[in-house]
Amino acid sequence: MPSIPEGPEGAPTIGFVSLGCPKALTDSELILTQLSAEGYRTAKSFAGADLVIVNTCGFIDDAVKESLDTIGEALAENGRVIVTGCLGAKAGEGGGNLVRQVHPKVLAVTGPHATQEVMDAVHVHVPKPHDPFVDLVPPQGIKLTPRHYAYLKISEGCNHRCTFCIIPSMRGDLVSRPVGDVLAEARALFDAGVKELLVVSQDTSAYGVDVKYRTGFFDGRPVKTRMVELCEQLALLAEPHGAWVRLHYVYPYPHVDELMPLMAAGRVLPYLDVPFQHSHPDVLKRMKRPASGERNLERIAAWRRACPELVLRSTFIAGFPGETEAEFDHLLQFVREAGIDRAGCFAYSPVKGAAANELADALPDALREERRARFMQVAEAVSAERLERRVGATMQVLVDHAPQLGRKGGSARSYADAPEIDGTVRLLPPAKASTQIRVGEFVRARVVAAQGHDLIAEAL
Ligand code: SF4
C-alpha cells in the first residue's frame, strides 16, 4: 500500500491500493496528493483504516478479476470502500455498473481521472480533518515511483477505435492536458530531483489533435500543444538537471520524423516505444490500428539513418482473428527486418465488449499460444543480437538499486531500458573500494557482457 506523509495524530486514515498501468498510477498520485494536502493519513492495513480506496484496472479479463478480488478483500476486512479507475467505468451484464453489480456494498464508484469525485466521496464518508497539513505536501505532489523517475501523463483517452481495445469506451476520446500545465509539472518534478521523466498517454503522437494544436503558454512564452514542441520544451527543462526524457506509446505518424534531430542530439532519449501490434496491412486493417497505412519498415530505416542510436520497443499480438500463416510470417519478418530491440507479445485474447469478438475466423487458443511462443523466439534472438553489439561500449546508466553504496554492485538502466518493462544493466562490484554507486545518480559503465535481456557492466 503506498504511503502519504503523516497527517496529524488522530487524523482519519485511508487505505489505498493502486492497480493497473502507469496512467492509473498518475491518477493514484493525484488522489494521494490531495488526501495528504487535506491532512488524511495512510493506513498500513485494510483493517486499521477509516476507509479504503481501490484504484482499479479494467483492461483485460485478468486485470478485471484482480480488481474485483481486491475490492472483495477490502470489503471483507474493512467494509468501507470507494472504487475508482477504469473498472469503475465499465458496464456489467444488462448495462448496470459492473463493480456495483458484483460488490453492491461499495460506498462509491467513479471512473478514471476523477480526483475530485473521489475526494467528494471521501468527504461524505470520512469528514476532512480540521487542520490541513498542506505544508507537508512536496511541491511535485506524491509520487508512487522511486524518487529518481516519474511518469508524466500528457493526455487522457483516445480517438482511435482499435477493435481489440475497450479503452476509448472507458476513458473517452482524446483530451490533451494544457501544455503549460504539463510543462509546469515536468519542471516541478525535475526540481524535486527526478532524473528520468517518462511521457505517457494512450497515443503520445496525437497530443494536441483535440485542441487543433492550440498555442498555450508556459512561463509567458507561446508553446504549441503538439508532441514535437512539447518534447523540445521538456528537453530544455531536463538539460540543467542532466535528466532523461523518454517517450512511450508513440504511433508512427509522419511528424514523429521531426523527433529524430532531438534524439540524435541526445536531448530526448533515442528510445521509442511504438506499439505496432502487427505488421501485415490486412491484420492492421482488421485491428483498425492508427497509422496502419504507413510504410513502417521504410520509416524505421529512415529513423535509424537520422539517429543510429535509436532503440525501438514495441508490443505485438499473435493469433488475432483470421490471422493466416502467411500474415504471421510477415510479422516475424518485420521484427527481424525492423530490428526491434525490445518486443513484448500477447496471444490474442478477447476482451469483453471489444469489437474484435465479432470478427470471423477466431483461432484456436493453442494456435494463438503457439504463435506467441514462436514470435518470442524470433524476437528474443533479434534482441539478443542487438544487445550483444553493446559489449565493450561505455554507457551512461541511471542507478536503481545499490545496496551498501554499491559495494556489492547494483542494478541500473541505460537509455535503452525503460523501468519495469525492459532489461537492466547489472553493475559488478566496483574494482576500487573507493568507488561509490548511489541510487538515483548517473554513472558511466563499461559493458562487459550481455545476458538474456540484461547487460553486465563495470562502473568506471
Ligand atoms: S490506440 Fe487503439 S489500443 Fe491504443 S487506446 Fe486507442 S483504441 Fe486502444
Side-chain angles (χ1 to χ4, degrees), residues 226-245:
R226 186 169 176 269
M227 179 183 62
V228 179
E229 282 78 356
L230 174 72
C231 289
E232 272 163 8
Q233 295 300 318
L234 289 174
L236 285 175
L237 291 174
E239 201 179 351
H241 301 272
W244 286 349
V245 175

mmCIF file with all atom_site columns, all heavy atoms in Angstrom, residues 226-245:
data_model
loop_
_atom_site.group_PDB
_atom_site.id
_atom_site.type_symbol
_atom_site.label_atom_id
_atom_site.label_alt_id
_atom_site.label_comp_id
_atom_site.label_asym_id
_atom_site.label_entity_id
_atom_site.label_seq_id
_atom_site.pdbx_PDB_ins_code
_atom_site.Cartn_x
_atom_site.Cartn_y
_atom_site.Cartn_z
_atom_site.occupancy
_atom_site.B_iso_or_equiv
_atom_site.pdbx_formal_charge
_atom_site.auth_seq_id
_atom_site.auth_comp_id
_atom_site.auth_asym_id
_atom_site.auth_atom_id
_atom_site.pdbx_PDB_model_num
ATOM 1   N N   . ARG A 1 226 ? 1.571  20.329 -29.081 1.00 0.00 ? 226 ARG A N   1
ATOM 2   C CA  . ARG A 1 226 ? 1.934  19.363 -30.123 1.00 0.00 ? 226 ARG A CA  1
ATOM 3   C C   . ARG A 1 226 ? 3.151  18.597 -29.636 1.00 0.00 ? 226 ARG A C   1
ATOM 4   O O   . ARG A 1 226 ? 4.015  19.162 -28.956 1.00 0.00 ? 226 ARG A O   1
ATOM 5   C CB  . ARG A 1 226 ? 2.241  20.148 -31.395 1.00 0.00 ? 226 ARG A CB  1
ATOM 6   C CG  . ARG A 1 226 ? 2.499  19.335 -32.622 1.00 0.00 ? 226 ARG A CG  1
ATOM 7   C CD  . ARG A 1 226 ? 2.531  20.237 -33.842 1.00 0.00 ? 226 ARG A CD  1
ATOM 8   N NE  . ARG A 1 226 ? 2.878  19.483 -35.041 1.00 0.00 ? 226 ARG A NE  1
ATOM 9   C CZ  . ARG A 1 226 ? 4.125  19.322 -35.470 1.00 0.00 ? 226 ARG A CZ  1
ATOM 10  N NH1 . ARG A 1 226 ? 5.129  19.853 -34.813 1.00 0.00 ? 226 ARG A NH1 1
ATOM 11  N NH2 . ARG A 1 226 ? 4.366  18.614 -36.557 1.00 0.00 ? 226 ARG A NH2 1
ATOM 12  N N   . MET A 1 227 ? 3.228  17.304 -29.992 1.00 0.00 ? 227 MET A N   1
ATOM 13  C CA  . MET A 1 227 ? 4.278  16.447 -29.407 1.00 0.00 ? 227 MET A CA  1
ATOM 14  C C   . MET A 1 227 ? 5.680  17.008 -29.610 1.00 0.00 ? 227 MET A C   1
ATOM 15  O O   . MET A 1 227 ? 6.472  17.053 -28.667 1.00 0.00 ? 227 MET A O   1
ATOM 16  C CB  . MET A 1 227 ? 4.202  15.047 -29.999 1.00 0.00 ? 227 MET A CB  1
ATOM 17  C CG  . MET A 1 227 ? 5.284  14.148 -29.434 1.00 0.00 ? 227 MET A CG  1
ATOM 18  S SD  . MET A 1 227 ? 5.294  12.514 -30.164 1.00 0.00 ? 227 MET A SD  1
ATOM 19  C CE  . MET A 1 227 ? 5.643  12.863 -31.853 1.00 0.00 ? 227 MET A CE  1
ATOM 20  N N   . VAL A 1 228 ? 6.015  17.410 -30.825 1.00 0.00 ? 228 VAL A N   1
ATOM 21  C CA  . VAL A 1 228 ? 7.401  17.818 -31.085 1.00 0.00 ? 228 VAL A CA  1
ATOM 22  C C   . VAL A 1 228 ? 7.759  19.061 -30.265 1.00 0.00 ? 228 VAL A C   1
ATOM 23  O O   . VAL A 1 228 ? 8.816  19.116 -29.629 1.00 0.00 ? 228 VAL A O   1
ATOM 24  C CB  . VAL A 1 228 ? 7.628  18.055 -32.597 1.00 0.00 ? 228 VAL A CB  1
ATOM 25  C CG1 . VAL A 1 228 ? 9.053  18.498 -32.856 1.00 0.00 ? 228 VAL A CG1 1
ATOM 26  C CG2 . VAL A 1 228 ? 7.315  16.774 -33.375 1.00 0.00 ? 228 VAL A CG2 1
ATOM 27  N N   . GLU A 1 229 ? 6.842  20.049 -30.253 1.00 0.00 ? 229 GLU A N   1
ATOM 28  C CA  . GLU A 1 229 ? 7.107  21.264 -29.483 1.00 0.00 ? 229 GLU A CA  1
ATOM 29  C C   . GLU A 1 229 ? 7.183  20.942 -27.988 1.00 0.00 ? 229 GLU A C   1
ATOM 30  O O   . GLU A 1 229 ? 8.023  21.479 -27.269 1.00 0.00 ? 229 GLU A O   1
ATOM 31  C CB  . GLU A 1 229 ? 6.016  22.309 -29.748 1.00 0.00 ? 229 GLU A CB  1
ATOM 32  C CG  . GLU A 1 229 ? 6.168  23.047 -31.061 1.00 0.00 ? 229 GLU A CG  1
ATOM 33  C CD  . GLU A 1 229 ? 5.720  22.242 -32.291 1.00 0.00 ? 229 GLU A CD  1
ATOM 34  O OE1 . GLU A 1 229 ? 5.357  21.056 -32.144 1.00 0.00 ? 229 GLU A OE1 1
ATOM 35  O OE2 . GLU A 1 229 ? 5.730  22.808 -33.402 1.00 0.00 ? 229 GLU A OE2 1
ATOM 36  N N   . LEU A 1 230 ? 6.310  20.043 -27.536 1.00 0.00 ? 230 LEU A N   1
ATOM 37  C CA  . LEU A 1 230 ? 6.351  19.646 -26.132 1.00 0.00 ? 230 LEU A CA  1
ATOM 38  C C   . LEU A 1 230 ? 7.715  19.024 -25.801 1.00 0.00 ? 230 LEU A C   1
ATOM 39  O O   . LEU A 1 230 ? 8.323  19.340 -24.780 1.00 0.00 ? 230 LEU A O   1
ATOM 40  C CB  . LEU A 1 230 ? 5.230  18.635 -25.842 1.00 0.00 ? 230 LEU A CB  1
ATOM 41  C CG  . LEU A 1 230 ? 5.247  18.022 -24.444 1.00 0.00 ? 230 LEU A CG  1
ATOM 42  C CD1 . LEU A 1 230 ? 4.827  19.050 -23.402 1.00 0.00 ? 230 LEU A CD1 1
ATOM 43  C CD2 . LEU A 1 230 ? 4.323  16.803 -24.355 1.00 0.00 ? 230 LEU A CD2 1
ATOM 44  N N   . CYS A 1 231 ? 8.191  18.158 -26.683 1.00 0.00 ? 231 CYS A N   1
ATOM 45  C CA  . CYS A 1 231 ? 9.469  17.486 -26.420 1.00 0.00 ? 231 CYS A CA  1
ATOM 46  C C   . CYS A 1 231 ? 10.623 18.480 -26.408 1.00 0.00 ? 231 CYS A C   1
ATOM 47  O O   . CYS A 1 231 ? 11.541 18.364 -25.598 1.00 0.00 ? 231 CYS A O   1
ATOM 48  C CB  . CYS A 1 231 ? 9.724  16.396 -27.459 1.00 0.00 ? 231 CYS A CB  1
ATOM 49  S SG  . CYS A 1 231 ? 8.628  15.007 -27.217 1.00 0.00 ? 231 CYS A SG  1
ATOM 50  N N   . GLU A 1 232 ? 10.566 19.466 -27.297 1.00 0.00 ? 232 GLU A N   1
ATOM 51  C CA  . GLU A 1 232 ? 11.629 20.487 -27.289 1.00 0.00 ? 232 GLU A CA  1
ATOM 52  C C   . GLU A 1 232 ? 11.671 21.192 -25.937 1.00 0.00 ? 232 GLU A C   1
ATOM 53  O O   . GLU A 1 232 ? 12.731 21.397 -25.362 1.00 0.00 ? 232 GLU A O   1
ATOM 54  C CB  . GLU A 1 232 ? 11.388 21.522 -28.391 1.00 0.00 ? 232 GLU A CB  1
ATOM 55  C CG  . GLU A 1 232 ? 12.013 21.097 -29.695 1.00 0.00 ? 232 GLU A CG  1
ATOM 56  C CD  . GLU A 1 232 ? 11.462 21.869 -30.887 1.00 0.00 ? 232 GLU A CD  1
ATOM 57  O OE1 . GLU A 1 232 ? 10.703 22.839 -30.704 1.00 0.00 ? 232 GLU A OE1 1
ATOM 58  O OE2 . GLU A 1 232 ? 11.797 21.451 -32.011 1.00 0.00 ? 232 GLU A OE2 1
ATOM 59  N N   . GLN A 1 233 ? 10.497 21.535 -25.440 1.00 0.00 ? 233 GLN A N   1
ATOM 60  C CA  . GLN A 1 233 ? 10.438 22.233 -24.145 1.00 0.00 ? 233 GLN A CA  1
ATOM 61  C C   . GLN A 1 233 ? 10.860 21.317 -23.001 1.00 0.00 ? 233 GLN A C   1
ATOM 62  O O   . GLN A 1 233 ? 11.542 21.744 -22.075 1.00 0.00 ? 233 GLN A O   1
ATOM 63  C CB  . GLN A 1 233 ? 9.012  22.762 -23.890 1.00 0.00 ? 233 GLN A CB  1
ATOM 64  C CG  . GLN A 1 233 ? 8.565  23.817 -24.867 1.00 0.00 ? 233 GLN A CG  1
ATOM 65  C CD  . GLN A 1 233 ? 9.454  25.055 -24.844 1.00 0.00 ? 233 GLN A CD  1
ATOM 66  O OE1 . GLN A 1 233 ? 9.853  25.524 -23.786 1.00 0.00 ? 233 GLN A OE1 1
ATOM 67  N NE2 . GLN A 1 233 ? 9.798  25.561 -26.014 1.00 0.00 ? 233 GLN A NE2 1
ATOM 68  N N   . LEU A 1 234 ? 10.461 20.060 -23.061 1.00 0.00 ? 234 LEU A N   1
ATOM 69  C CA  . LEU A 1 234 ? 10.862 19.125 -21.997 1.00 0.00 ? 234 LEU A CA  1
ATOM 70  C C   . LEU A 1 234 ? 12.383 18.973 -21.997 1.00 0.00 ? 234 LEU A C   1
ATOM 71  O O   . LEU A 1 234 ? 13.017 18.905 -20.949 1.00 0.00 ? 234 LEU A O   1
ATOM 72  C CB  . LEU A 1 234 ? 10.193 17.757 -22.192 1.00 0.00 ? 234 LEU A CB  1
ATOM 73  C CG  . LEU A 1 234 ? 8.688  17.704 -21.915 1.00 0.00 ? 234 LEU A CG  1
ATOM 74  C CD1 . LEU A 1 234 ? 8.128  16.323 -22.279 1.00 0.00 ? 234 LEU A CD1 1
ATOM 75  C CD2 . LEU A 1 234 ? 8.388  18.005 -20.442 1.00 0.00 ? 234 LEU A CD2 1
ATOM 76  N N   . ALA A 1 235 ? 12.962 18.932 -23.206 1.00 0.00 ? 235 ALA A N   1
ATOM 77  C CA  . ALA A 1 235 ? 14.423 18.802 -23.306 1.00 0.00 ? 235 ALA A CA  1
ATOM 78  C C   . ALA A 1 235 ? 15.098 20.008 -22.668 1.00 0.00 ? 235 ALA A C   1
ATOM 79  O O   . ALA A 1 235 ? 16.091 19.862 -21.942 1.00 0.00 ? 235 ALA A O   1
ATOM 80  C CB  . ALA A 1 235 ? 14.832 18.670 -24.768 1.00 0.00 ? 235 ALA A CB  1
ATOM 81  N N   . LEU A 1 236 ? 14.535 21.202 -22.891 1.00 0.00 ? 236 LEU A N   1
ATOM 82  C CA  . LEU A 1 236 ? 15.119 22.407 -22.288 1.00 0.00 ? 236 LEU A CA  1
ATOM 83  C C   . LEU A 1 236 ? 15.050 22.349 -20.763 1.00 0.00 ? 236 LEU A C   1
ATOM 84  O O   . LEU A 1 236 ? 15.983 22.728 -20.067 1.00 0.00 ? 236 LEU A O   1
ATOM 85  C CB  . LEU A 1 236 ? 14.369 23.660 -22.769 1.00 0.00 ? 236 LEU A CB  1
ATOM 86  C CG  . LEU A 1 236 ? 14.661 24.115 -24.201 1.00 0.00 ? 236 LEU A CG  1
ATOM 87  C CD1 . LEU A 1 236 ? 13.771 25.288 -24.573 1.00 0.00 ? 236 LEU A CD1 1
ATOM 88  C CD2 . LEU A 1 236 ? 16.143 24.497 -24.337 1.00 0.00 ? 236 LEU A CD2 1
ATOM 89  N N   . LEU A 1 237 ? 13.895 21.847 -20.256 1.00 0.00 ? 237 LEU A N   1
ATOM 90  C CA  . LEU A 1 237 ? 13.739 21.759 -18.799 1.00 0.00 ? 237 LEU A CA  1
ATOM 91  C C   . LEU A 1 237 ? 14.669 20.704 -18.202 1.00 0.00 ? 237 LEU A C   1
ATOM 92  O O   . LEU A 1 237 ? 15.192 20.863 -17.100 1.00 0.00 ? 237 LEU A O   1
ATOM 93  C CB  . LEU A 1 237 ? 12.285 21.411 -18.439 1.00 0.00 ? 237 LEU A CB  1
ATOM 94  C CG  . LEU A 1 237 ? 11.238 22.491 -18.703 1.00 0.00 ? 237 LEU A CG  1
ATOM 95  C CD1 . LEU A 1 237 ? 9.842  21.943 -18.446 1.00 0.00 ? 237 LEU A CD1 1
ATOM 96  C CD2 . LEU A 1 237 ? 11.489 23.703 -17.807 1.00 0.00 ? 237 LEU A CD2 1
ATOM 97  N N   . ALA A 1 238 ? 14.882 19.613 -18.945 1.00 0.00 ? 238 ALA A N   1
ATOM 98  C CA  . ALA A 1 238 ? 15.687 18.495 -18.415 1.00 0.00 ? 238 ALA A CA  1
ATOM 99  C C   . ALA A 1 238 ? 17.181 18.833 -18.396 1.00 0.00 ? 238 ALA A C   1
ATOM 100 O O   . ALA A 1 238 ? 17.918 18.377 -17.529 1.00 0.00 ? 238 ALA A O   1
ATOM 101 C CB  . ALA A 1 238 ? 15.448 17.245 -19.269 1.00 0.00 ? 238 ALA A CB  1
ATOM 102 N N   . GLU A 1 239 ? 17.577 19.652 -19.357 1.00 0.00 ? 239 GLU A N   1
ATOM 103 C CA  . GLU A 1 239 ? 19.012 19.870 -19.591 1.00 0.00 ? 239 GLU A CA  1
ATOM 104 C C   . GLU A 1 239 ? 19.799 20.326 -18.353 1.00 0.00 ? 239 GLU A C   1
ATOM 105 O O   . GLU A 1 239 ? 20.807 19.692 -18.006 1.00 0.00 ? 239 GLU A O   1
ATOM 106 C CB  . GLU A 1 239 ? 19.178 20.873 -20.735 1.00 0.00 ? 239 GLU A CB  1
ATOM 107 C CG  . GLU A 1 239 ? 20.536 20.780 -21.366 1.00 0.00 ? 239 GLU A CG  1
ATOM 108 C CD  . GLU A 1 239 ? 20.688 21.768 -22.507 1.00 0.00 ? 239 GLU A CD  1
ATOM 109 O OE1 . GLU A 1 239 ? 19.692 22.409 -22.914 1.00 0.00 ? 239 GLU A OE1 1
ATOM 110 O OE2 . GLU A 1 239 ? 21.823 21.893 -22.961 1.00 0.00 ? 239 GLU A OE2 1
ATOM 111 N N   . PRO A 1 240 ? 19.353 21.388 -17.642 1.00 0.00 ? 240 PRO A N   1
ATOM 112 C CA  . PRO A 1 240 ? 20.165 21.822 -16.493 1.00 0.00 ? 240 PRO A CA  1
ATOM 113 C C   . PRO A 1 240 ? 20.283 20.754 -15.407 1.00 0.00 ? 240 PRO A C   1
ATOM 114 O O   . PRO A 1 240 ? 21.194 20.800 -14.590 1.00 0.00 ? 240 PRO A O   1
ATOM 115 C CB  . PRO A 1 240 ? 19.426 23.059 -15.961 1.00 0.00 ? 240 PRO A CB  1
ATOM 116 C CG  . PRO A 1 240 ? 18.212 23.236 -16.774 1.00 0.00 ? 240 PRO A CG  1
ATOM 117 C CD  . PRO A 1 240 ? 18.181 22.233 -17.868 1.00 0.00 ? 240 PRO A CD  1
ATOM 118 N N   . HIS A 1 241 ? 19.366 19.782 -15.391 1.00 0.00 ? 241 HIS A N   1
ATOM 119 C CA  . HIS A 1 241 ? 19.401 18.719 -14.384 1.00 0.00 ? 241 HIS A CA  1
ATOM 120 C C   . HIS A 1 241 ? 20.136 17.492 -14.913 1.00 0.00 ? 241 HIS A C   1
ATOM 121 O O   . HIS A 1 241 ? 20.264 16.492 -14.209 1.00 0.00 ? 241 HIS A O   1
ATOM 122 C CB  . HIS A 1 241 ? 17.983 18.312 -13.977 1.00 0.00 ? 241 HIS A CB  1
ATOM 123 C CG  . HIS A 1 241 ? 17.187 19.443 -13.428 1.00 0.00 ? 241 HIS A CG  1
ATOM 124 N ND1 . HIS A 1 241 ? 17.191 19.774 -12.090 1.00 0.00 ? 241 HIS A ND1 1
ATOM 125 C CD2 . HIS A 1 241 ? 16.387 20.360 -14.028 1.00 0.00 ? 241 HIS A CD2 1
ATOM 126 C CE1 . HIS A 1 241 ? 16.419 20.830 -11.897 1.00 0.00 ? 241 HIS A CE1 1
ATOM 127 N NE2 . HIS A 1 241 ? 15.916 21.199 -13.061 1.00 0.00 ? 241 HIS A NE2 1
ATOM 128 N N   . GLY A 1 242 ? 20.540 17.539 -16.164 1.00 0.00 ? 242 GLY A N   1
ATOM 129 C CA  . GLY A 1 242 ? 21.163 16.363 -16.786 1.00 0.00 ? 242 GLY A CA  1
ATOM 130 C C   . GLY A 1 242 ? 20.200 15.189 -16.816 1.00 0.00 ? 242 GLY A C   1
ATOM 131 O O   . GLY A 1 242 ? 20.611 14.029 -16.795 1.00 0.00 ? 242 GLY A O   1
ATOM 132 N N   . ALA A 1 243 ? 18.891 15.465 -16.874 1.00 0.00 ? 243 ALA A N   1
ATOM 133 C CA  . ALA A 1 243 ? 17.891 14.389 -16.743 1.00 0.00 ? 243 ALA A CA  1
ATOM 134 C C   . ALA A 1 243 ? 17.480 13.842 -18.104 1.00 0.00 ? 243 ALA A C   1
ATOM 135 O O   . ALA A 1 243 ? 17.703 14.459 -19.138 1.00 0.00 ? 243 ALA A O   1
ATOM 136 C CB  . ALA A 1 243 ? 16.671 14.922 -15.994 1.00 0.00 ? 243 ALA A CB  1
ATOM 137 N N   . TRP A 1 244 ? 16.868 12.678 -18.061 1.00 0.00 ? 244 TRP A N   1
ATOM 138 C CA  . TRP A 1 244 ? 16.410 11.993 -19.277 1.00 0.00 ? 244 TRP A CA  1
ATOM 139 C C   . TRP A 1 244 ? 14.919 12.248 -19.523 1.00 0.00 ? 244 TRP A C   1
ATOM 140 O O   . TRP A 1 244 ? 14.126 12.302 -18.575 1.00 0.00 ? 244 TRP A O   1
ATOM 141 C CB  . TRP A 1 244 ? 16.572 10.474 -19.112 1.00 0.00 ? 244 TRP A CB  1
ATOM 142 C CG  . TRP A 1 244 ? 17.968 9.938  -19.201 1.00 0.00 ? 244 TRP A CG  1
ATOM 143 C CD1 . TRP A 1 244 ? 19.081 10.600 -19.609 1.00 0.00 ? 244 TRP A CD1 1
ATOM 144 C CD2 . TRP A 1 244 ? 18.376 8.600  -18.880 1.00 0.00 ? 244 TRP A CD2 1
ATOM 145 N NE1 . TRP A 1 244 ? 20.171 9.752  -19.566 1.00 0.00 ? 244 TRP A NE1 1
ATOM 146 C CE2 . TRP A 1 244 ? 19.764 8.531  -19.132 1.00 0.00 ? 244 TRP A CE2 1
ATOM 147 C CE3 . TRP A 1 244 ? 17.717 7.474  -18.421 1.00 0.00 ? 244 TRP A CE3 1
ATOM 148 C CZ2 . TRP A 1 244 ? 20.500 7.360  -18.932 1.00 0.00 ? 244 TRP A CZ2 1
ATOM 149 C CZ3 . TRP A 1 244 ? 18.439 6.310  -18.215 1.00 0.00 ? 244 TRP A CZ3 1
ATOM 150 C CH2 . TRP A 1 244 ? 19.818 6.257  -18.473 1.00 0.00 ? 244 TRP A CH2 1
ATOM 151 N N   . VAL A 1 245 ? 14.563 12.301 -20.809 1.00 0.00 ? 245 VAL A N   1
ATOM 152 C CA  . VAL A 1 245 ? 13.145 12.335 -21.193 1.00 0.00 ? 245 VAL A CA  1
ATOM 153 C C   . VAL A 1 245 ? 12.912 11.143 -22.111 1.00 0.00 ? 245 VAL A C   1
ATOM 154 O O   . VAL A 1 245 ? 13.608 10.983 -23.111 1.00 0.00 ? 245 VAL A O   1
ATOM 155 C CB  . VAL A 1 245 ? 12.798 13.646 -21.950 1.00 0.00 ? 245 VAL A CB  1
ATOM 156 C CG1 . VAL A 1 245 ? 11.361 13.615 -22.438 1.00 0.00 ? 245 VAL A CG1 1
ATOM 157 C CG2 . VAL A 1 245 ? 13.058 14.857 -21.061 1.00 0.00 ? 245 VAL A CG2 1
#
